[in-house]
Amino acid sequence: MKENKQKIALPGDALAVSEEFLPGKNAYDYDGMVRALLMGNVVRDLSQREVSVKPVSIARTPSVGDIVTGQVEAAQTNSANMKIYYLNGVPTQGGFAGSLLLREDRRGGRGIRRTQVKLGDIVRAKVVSTMNAIIQLSISEPHMGVIATLCSNCGRPLSRADGRARCNECGNVEERKFADDFGREPIQP
Ligand SMILES: [Zn+2]
């Protein structure tokens, strides 16, 4: 049984008496008290007699050079809109949206555009501009790109296969601009 009182603790705050609770994540035992290591929500696990701190997600605005991870909400030919869920690997509750610029990639032949991202893809991208409060993103670097995607055919997660992604369920093969660690588990935002 977990109890979450939504109480915010500051670093060093006493969360419980050491005799009654053990320090869980982001908590430590000092001077007979379990204390918070960092700022966050206090979570008491009564069955384990453990108290821990869940870090508060950050709400600062993304700036140039930041790495964001989010989901594609709309994809056009030259751009895609992305809802941002992680900023430099930390969950964000800022509700930010970014615009992903898709450079033309004609490797597939003259005039043929390769699909770089699709609706619903989980993408890691770099912030390249925040001019006019528009967060512009790029996936041109090797570590940027799609990190998780589902089969357009049957909806199962796709796995890596020679620069493409293959569905182990139905055999469907799809192309994207993948991040270099696509297919690795667990997914790192
Ligand atoms: Zn499939």
Side-chain angles (χ1 to χ4, degrees):
M1 186 173 100
K2 285 192 180 180
E3 181 197 4
N4 192 345
K5 283 183 173 169
Q6 292 298 332
K7 180 182 172 258
I8 297 274
L10 295 173
D13 275 1
L15 308 175
V17 180
S18 303
E19 284 170 353
E20 293 173 3
F21 280 91
L22 293 166
K25 262 192 175 176
N26 305 314
Y28 64 98
D29 205 317
Y30 181 76
D31 211 12
M33 301 295 284
V34 178
R35 293 174 186 276
L37 198 58
L38 42 77
M39 187 177 145
N41 292 306
V42 180
V43 180
R44 285 185 171 79
D45 188 330
L46 299 178
S47 58
Q48 301 293 319
R49 308 205 62 76
E50 196 180 82
V51 61
S52 55
V53 179
K54 198 172 163 226
V56 178
S57 55
I58 48 168
R60 77 167 176 88
T61 313
S63 48
V64 173
D66 282 340
I67 307 299
V68 300
T69 304
Q71 189 167 31
V72 175
E73 290 197 316
Q76 298 91 35
T77 318
N78 298 314
S79 69
N81 295 333
M82 219 172 97
K83 183 82 188 283
I84 295 168
Y85 292 111
Y86 287 87
L87 178 55
N88 297 323
V90 181
T92 174
Q93 286 176 349
F96 301 113
S99 177
L100 190 59
L101 299 170
L102 302 174
R103 275 202 319 211
E104 212 166 308
D105 182 348
R106 293 181 182 274
R107 272 179 298 165
R110 194 188 305 165
I112 298 171
R113 289 173 188 275
R114 290 162 60 99
T115 303
Q116 299 192 52
V117 301
K118 265 189 181 172
L119 190 70
D121 284 355
I122 306 297
V123 174
R124 184 194 297 121
K126 197 172 204 171
V127 179
V128 290
S129 167
T130 56
M131 238 206 285
N132 303 323
I134 296 166
I135 301 166
Q136 292 203 326
L137 306 168
S138 162
I139 53 168
S140 58
E141 287 180 21
H143 197 47
M144 306 301 140
V146 175
I147 55 173
T149 180
L150 300 176
C151 175
S152 318
N153 199 29
C154 72
R156 307 285 170 109
L158 296 178
S159 48
R160 192 181 197 113
D162 306 326
R164 293 178 163 207
R166 196 188 11 232
C167 177
N168 294 326
E169 194 66 26
C170 72
N172 181 32
V173 173
E174 300 194 21
E175 61 177 20
R176 297 284 199 285
K177 193 314 185 165
F178 292 109
D180 54 4
D181 61 342
F182 173 79
R184 210 175 294 164
E185 299 275 348
I187 293 162
Q188 298 293 325

